[in-house]
Amino acid sequence: MLNNKLEQLTRLFAQMDRALIAYSGGVDSTLVAKIAYQALGDRALAVTAESPSLLPEELEDARIQAAVIGIPHELVQTDEMNNPNYTANPVNRCYFCKSELHDTLKPLALQRGYPYVVDGVNADDLGDYRPGIQAAQERGARSPLAEVGVTKAEVRQLSQQLGLPWWDKPAQPCLSSRFPYGEEITIAKLQRVGRAEVYLRKLGWKNLRVRSQGDTARIELSPEQIKQFVLTMDLPTLVSAFQDLGFLYVTLDLEGYHSGKLNRVVNQDDKAIV
């Protein structure tokens, strides 16, 4: 079944002839870039949006991964931070982010002779509240993984099968997802929460989020890591480091990390996950 889906993806790209990949460096879009390059060679182009909501470390990962794959890779600047519809952080914030992204990529693709812009949306994403998917579809973007029915688990399986060393890389949505809806997003806030997450990752903690609510940082770790964190961390040093970044208060979420936690304030009918 999995090999059949890989063959379908390869045929799909071969039929496109030329494709520009909206490439974030995450597991999904990196798999798309890998398969596109295998099918099209230099007729595939990976483009990453350089934005304050993307960690510099994630941007560097994207560069390294593209180089390992061999696919041509370029950066573009996006300007969502100058859109008050985005910075006000409404529940459909992602719509305005993806609108900006694809309003940037589509003209670039047409100018360069790429008839298709494709992204890394997978089949599981279609069941979530993802207003960004709507924005991409409105602008004609295609989602090969979703079209073929590749799930998130299968993305990782295919990535491992194709020898991609980052097949188990934790999901890393944009930094704007760290803020509760309705709290204004600023570049300073994005940098603060980004540096806090980098600080923890350098200490060896992996699948985590630092949620920012006002001047409070709420650390979310996978549930199995919480006890070890409390017993082994130098908590006064941690608090001091976070306060140096600009937080006044530092807390630990005892429930642990769960994708989409901030969306509990959204109507349950939306089944929102960020």
Side-chain angles (χ1 to χ4, degrees), residues 37-250:
Y37 183 67
Q38 285 185 331
L40 301 175
D42 289 344
R43 289 175 290 135
L45 173 66
V47 179
T48 302
E50 193 170 6
S51 161
S53 65
L54 180 68
L55 279 170
E57 289 79 5
E58 290 296 311
L59 182 60
E60 183 60 22
D61 280 352
R63 287 194 182 101
I64 292 170
Q65 291 163 195
V68 170
I69 292 170
I71 189 170
H73 180 219
E74 296 184 13
L75 304 180
V76 294
Q77 300 286 333
T78 53
D79 201 27
E80 65 273 13
M81 291 302 297
N82 285 324
N83 182 352
N85 290 318
Y86 176 82
T87 57
N89 197 17
V91 294
N92 64 338
R93 177 198 68 244
C94 292
Y95 178 88
F96 301 105
C97 176
K98 295 301 184 184
S99 296
E100 170 69 17
L101 173 63
H102 287 278
D103 283 342
T104 301
L105 295 183
K106 186 173 182 179
L108 176 64
L110 294 175
Q111 177 187 353
R112 300 285 190 86
Y114 295 95
Y116 297 98
V117 174
V118 302
D119 61 25
V121 172
N122 64 61
D124 289 337
D125 294 332
L126 300 182
D128 297 339
Y129 173 69
R130 299 290 179 98
I133 294 177
Q134 178 187 347
Q137 290 176 341
E138 289 175 353
R139 288 154 179 81
R142 292 184 62 176
S143 305
L145 298 176
E147 290 181 31
V148 173
V150 178
T151 66
K152 186 67 176 183
E154 289 173 333
V155 166
R156 296 192 182 278
Q157 292 169 24
L158 278 172
S159 298
Q160 186 177 27
Q161 181 177 314
L162 293 175
L164 301 180
W166 45 83
W167 65 271
D168 60 346
K169 180 180 179 180
Q172 184 70 3
C174 81
L175 293 175
S176 295
S177 67
R178 310 303 194 269
F179 301 86
Y181 294 124
E183 179 175 329
E184 182 184 11
I185 295 172
T186 67
I187 291 177
K189 287 181 179 179
L190 291 170
Q191 291 176 340
R192 180 175 69 175
V193 77
R195 288 196 295 268
E197 290 193 358
V198 169
Y199 175 84
L200 290 173
R201 288 195 180 91
K202 286 183 177 179
L203 293 176
W205 306 100
K206 298 301 181 186
N207 195 22
L208 64 91
R209 297 286 185 269
V210 175
R211 306 290 187 184
S212 177
Q213 294 182 280
D215 291 320
T216 298
R218 190 178 79 242
I219 299 169
E220 294 181 7
L221 300 165
S222 56
E224 62 272 13
Q225 290 183 314
I226 292 175
K227 183 176 181 180
Q228 180 188 4
F229 184 86
V230 173
L231 292 176
T232 61
M233 277 295 296
D234 183 339
L235 297 180
T237 298
L238 169 68
V239 170
S240 178
F242 273 50
Q243 289 177 338
D244 286 345
L245 293 175
F247 290 107
L248 296 181
Y249 312 102
V250 185

